[in-house]
Amino acid sequence: MGRRHRDALFPPEGWRRLTSYVDIDPDHVAEDLAQEPSLAEVELLITSWGCPVLDEEVLARAPALKAVVHAAGSVKHHVTRACWDRGLAVSSAAAANAVPVAEYTVAAILFANKRVLDIGALYRERRTPLDWSRRFPGFGNYRRTVGVVGASLVGRKVLELLRPHDLDLLLADPHVDAEQAAALGARHVELDELVAASDVVSLHAPALAETRHLMDARRLSLLRDGATLVNTARGSLVATEALTAEAVSGRIHAVIDVTEPEVLPPASPLYSLPNVLLTPHIAGSLGGELRRITESALDEVERYCSGQPFRYAVHHAALATSA
């Protein structure tokens, strides 16, 4: 992993717990595995953001390697086919990282239906109370319709956190049927129906070839006037130009934490539009939330050392439809 990630993920108490399980040098961070002299003896790799690719050349220099514990979300950036061919056991902290993303998303949904950003901006401008119900007829969360796109780890957590609220929940996912959706507290519908019926559409699909620009100009046009699009998944799910055109028109609202490109050009209208909340990819684990990822990874190391299977094992077959 990158050294800065090591320092953020493993404070002294984390190192104390880790060194009680394994033989590891707390001062050593392997940022370049091609130049790593100790690979031949390594049985377990603890990885995170910034991990080099674990390809055939690296694995050939690591004959004792049996497992990878990833202290972050997706393993697609570094765990290659060669790892699966070797039969390595792989674990990920994606479930831990899903929690703050879901929390951010739920806050965005509830604020969107309550029109908190609009009312806050108007109140700041006018500095006097107005008849908010008249200004925003029907605003609020009671019996509003929220559409979740993708029953991913984050999508499922969002549905779980939304269940206590008096909302009508829809789910679109080609890998989930009506019975499975009902068990998650939602009604299964096709994507176009979900987009057209929802007051808020929240994206939680993986970035795959078939999901690129899932929300294109045609599908964005299906959104109700005044509806909100929330994207905390991947920027590639949304056609940026089409979203910008819809947002500039003022017809829809958007809460966007990820974009394509990842940093928009300085001239993009999305930075300054009053109906858009644009944040710089902060929904995932940051600050104190990293401790949850650390604890998840340490739990997996403990399980490995005691001969138990990983609780959050990653399976090669599942990667085709996951992040």
Side-chain angles (χ1 to χ4, degrees):
M1 65 186 73
R3 183 172 294 275
R4 68 185 181 92
H5 298 307
R6 188 283 307 267
D7 294 341
L9 284 165
F10 291 98
E13 59 271 23
W15 280 116
R16 283 192 292 271
R17 185 180 169 193
L18 183 59
T19 54
S20 71
Y21 303 141
V22 298
D23 181 11
I24 189 170
D25 179 0
D27 295 322
H28 184 66
V29 181
E31 295 182 280
D32 182 0
L33 293 176
Q35 304 296 323
E36 179 53 49
S38 63
L39 268 185
E41 303 174 6
V42 170
E43 178 181 347
L44 170 68
L45 276 179
I46 300 172
T47 64
S48 188
W49 298 287
C51 178
V53 173
L54 306 178
D55 55 18
E56 291 183 0
E57 181 180 348
V58 169
L59 294 186
R61 299 177 55 244
L65 184 63
K66 295 180 180 178
V68 176
V69 171
H70 189 50
S74 176
V75 302
K76 285 185 176 181
H77 305 294
H78 65 298
V79 175
T80 67
R81 180 58 183 262
C83 297
W84 305 114
D85 290 344
R86 167 78 75 86
L88 297 184
V90 179
S91 169
S92 165
N97 192 50
V99 175
V101 182
E103 291 172 344
Y104 174 110
T105 302
V106 169
I109 291 169
L110 297 178
F111 267 36
N113 281 331
K114 193 71 173 179
R115 288 288 176 250
V116 169
L117 296 178
D118 305 276
I119 293 173
L122 195 56
Y123 188 39
R124 186 166 55 248
E125 175 190 339
R126 300 290 185 86
R127 305 193 181 193
T128 185
L130 299 175
D131 185 342
W132 303 118
S133 293
R134 184 176 180 181
R135 189 66 180 254
F136 301 96
F139 83 117
N141 281 286
Y142 184 70
R143 289 299 170 220
R144 301 303 287 272
T145 300
V146 175
V148 172
V149 181
S152 61
L153 286 170
V154 177
R156 289 168 184 261
K157 189 66 177 179
V158 167
L159 288 171
E160 176 190 332
L161 294 177
L162 287 176
R163 278 202 294 271
H165 302 278
D166 294 315
L167 296 163
D168 295 325
L169 303 178
L170 305 178
L171 173 64
D173 188 315
H175 305 286
V176 171
D177 60 26
E179 185 178 350
Q180 292 168 323
L184 295 171
R187 181 166 62 89
H188 188 267
V189 296
E190 295 301 316
L191 181 55
D192 281 0
E193 180 182 349
L194 179 148
V195 173
S198 298
D199 297 295
V200 180
V201 173
S202 190
L203 304 180
H204 303 289
L208 306 171
E210 55 267 36
T211 61
R212 178 169 175 76
H213 292 181
L214 192 69
M215 299 297 294
D216 56 11
R218 182 195 69 81
R219 195 159 274 141
L220 287 169
S221 72
L222 299 178
L223 286 165
R224 295 175 173 179
D225 290 354
T228 300
L229 177 70
V230 179
N231 188 9
T232 56
R234 289 290 183 266
S236 64
L237 299 180
V238 180
T240 302
E241 288 188 10
L243 172 63
T244 302
E246 287 281 9
V248 167
S249 75
R251 195 183 71 81
I252 67 169
H253 300 255
V255 179
I256 305 297
D257 187 55
V258 287
T259 58
E260 186 185 52
E262 180 65 26
V263 178
L264 292 173
S268 171
L270 296 179
Y271 284 112
S272 56
L273 287 172
N275 52 324
V276 174
L277 174 61
L278 181 64
T279 54
H281 205 150
I282 61 168
S285 299
L286 292 171
E289 294 162 339
L290 292 172
R291 293 175 56 190
R292 184 185 286 111
I293 284 182
T294 303
E295 291 301 315
S296 176
L298 290 172
D299 288 347
E300 293 291 68
V301 172
E302 182 180 13
R303 292 177 69 88
Y304 177 79
C305 292
S306 63
Q308 301 179 67
F310 287 137
R311 181 180 181 186
Y312 298 108
V314 180
H315 301 287
H316 185 213
L319 289 180
T321 57
S322 63

